[in-house]
Amino acid sequence: MESQDSEYGAGAQDTAGRRPGDGRTDPATEAFVRHRNLLFTVAYEMLGSAADAEDVLQETWLRWAGVDLGTVRDQRAYLVRITTRQALTRLRTLGRRKESYVGPWLPEPLLTTPDVAEDVELADSVSMAMLLVLETLTPTERAVFVLREVFDLGYDEIAEAVDKTPAAVRQIAHRARSHVAARRPRGPVSRGEAKDALDAFQRAAETGDIQGLLDILAPDVVFLGDGGGIKKAIPRPVVGADKVARLLAAGFTRISAAGSLRPAQVNGYPALILHLDGALDTVLAVRVDDGLITGFYAVRNPEKLSHMRHTTPLRR
């Protein structure tokens, strides 16, 4: 999951800590860059926002740059602890913002490389469906779940990150695990299944084949649209194959007249990006179970799409 040369996210790594004249970085910067992909992923899974995760990494760097490395036994653990604490602070602020959010809230879509999809556990953990489940946890439960279940950190290490005792962390982990198990998607989805379903959807959208669309929708399929009060979007979830098919069919005319659907890797799985009149309009991610689409996640809020134009995809 970690990468020596990850470029994703905030730009601090490009300038922070360089020695004048020789272009090299100091040990603090080298350690930060070495673990940066891990730190970004921790922050993103806690926050569901790439922009906020990048801000957390900036804050992490500022604190890390002032640390006496001679006092640090485990640089990775220390950096994870800083990142987790900063993400927890921001997560509580985001919770207050979401209370006044207009319409359904969806995570910011995150471009990912194919190797993320090959790591089934990582792909599942950053999927839209899983991030929505994590939204139902308290901030501390979410931090503990991510650090334990996704990154397999020890209870002692997590306890330091969330300012709890190891015994308390074990209880929180058990509670969060049970909560997620009762709400999580049915199981990991193969990349092939997701791609086949999306290909069928794209054909239906481009040809207006409503029956072809109905053939790939699960009876209880759910459509969620996030415009953030800025772009027009469905104000509440739409449930059921007939209703979702009619909703999508209404948008097919716009796609055929002035739009184009392009495949992409988003949050670990195949997705479609809609451009209207040449401009990025919507990122459409799906959940697929047993070969049928069970969930549509359409992000239209331009504030959640802006980072996709200038960032490097997350890689394992």
Side-chain angles (χ1 to χ4, degrees):
M1 187 178 304
E2 295 181 56
S3 172
Q4 295 282 344
D5 58 355
S6 173
E7 298 174 339
Y8 194 94
Q13 72 182 68
D14 296 329
T15 56
R18 292 190 182 279
R19 294 191 178 109
D22 63 9
R24 292 181 297 168
T25 57
D26 62 22
T29 305
E30 290 172 358
F32 183 80
V33 172
R34 183 166 61 252
H35 298 299
R36 195 174 190 285
N37 213 36
L38 166 68
L39 302 178
F40 176 86
T41 310
V42 168
Y44 177 74
E45 292 198 20
M46 286 183 60
L47 300 168
S49 164
D52 284 295
E54 290 171 355
D55 288 344
V56 162
L57 259 65
Q58 292 279 19
E59 294 160 1
T60 297
W61 163 252
L62 292 174
R63 284 158 177 77
W64 174 246
V67 171
D68 179 359
L69 296 189
T71 66
V72 178
R73 293 194 318 273
D74 185 334
Q75 294 180 346
R76 175 181 177 273
Y78 199 103
L79 282 163
V80 168
R81 183 161 71 246
I82 298 174
T83 299
T84 301
R85 289 177 176 175
Q86 295 304 313
L88 275 171
T89 298
R90 189 165 290 254
L91 185 58
R92 294 182 178 109
T93 301
L94 288 175
R96 291 191 290 273
R97 286 190 218 159
K98 290 171 189 172
E99 292 173 1
S100 58
Y101 197 80
V102 178
W105 181 94
L106 289 172
E108 286 186 15
L110 181 67
L111 289 172
T112 51
T113 58
D115 68 339
V116 171
E118 292 168 4
D119 185 332
V120 176
E121 291 184 358
L122 176 58
D124 185 57
S125 72
V126 298
S127 70
M128 284 279 185
M130 177 55 77
L131 290 174
L132 286 174
V133 173
L134 295 183
E135 283 292 311
T136 64
L137 298 173
T138 68
T140 301
E141 287 173 342
R142 186 166 183 169
V144 169
F145 182 88
V146 167
L147 295 177
R148 180 63 183 172
E149 299 300 317
V150 180
F151 298 101
D152 199 29
L153 269 63
Y155 291 112
D156 290 346
E157 193 173 351
I158 298 172
E160 292 185 5
V162 299
D163 291 323
K164 302 286 184 182
T165 66
V169 167
R170 285 181 181 274
Q171 292 179 340
I172 294 169
H174 176 74
R175 185 167 64 243
R177 194 180 304 118
S178 299
H179 182 98
V180 170
R183 294 165 176 79
R184 74 183 303 158
R186 297 166 196 171
V189 179
S190 77
R191 187 171 45 167
E193 275 188 328
K195 184 179 184 305
D196 289 345
L198 268 176
D199 287 346
F201 169 79
Q202 186 171 0
R203 286 195 299 272
E206 292 173 344
T207 62
D209 181 7
I210 303 303
Q211 185 56 53
L213 177 62
L214 284 168
D215 290 342
I216 60 167
L217 298 183
D220 57 350
V221 61
V222 178
F223 182 99
L224 295 172
D226 179 346
I230 302 172
K231 282 285 192 77
K232 185 178 180 181
I234 303 302
R236 59 187 60 84
V238 177
V239 182
D242 288 339
K243 291 180 180 179
V244 170
R246 287 199 298 271
L247 171 67
L248 292 170
F252 287 174
T253 302
R254 295 179 67 206
I255 295 173
S256 60
S260 64
L261 287 168
R262 303 175 187 173
Q265 288 284 330
V266 175
N267 290 78
Y269 290 101
L272 293 172
I273 295 179
L274 170 63
H275 286 78
L276 287 178
D277 298 318
L280 175 61
D281 181 85
T282 305
V283 171
L284 184 66
V286 298
R287 172 72 193 177
V288 177
D289 292 286
D290 299 325
L292 297 177
I293 297 177
T294 56
F296 283 99
Y297 311 102
V299 181
R300 301 199 68 213
N301 184 344
E303 293 178 354
K304 294 186 177 183
L305 300 180
S306 60
H307 71 278
M308 297 187 69
R309 300 185 181 94
H310 55 77
T311 53
T312 301
L314 176 71
R315 56 179 176 266
R316 187 171 55 182

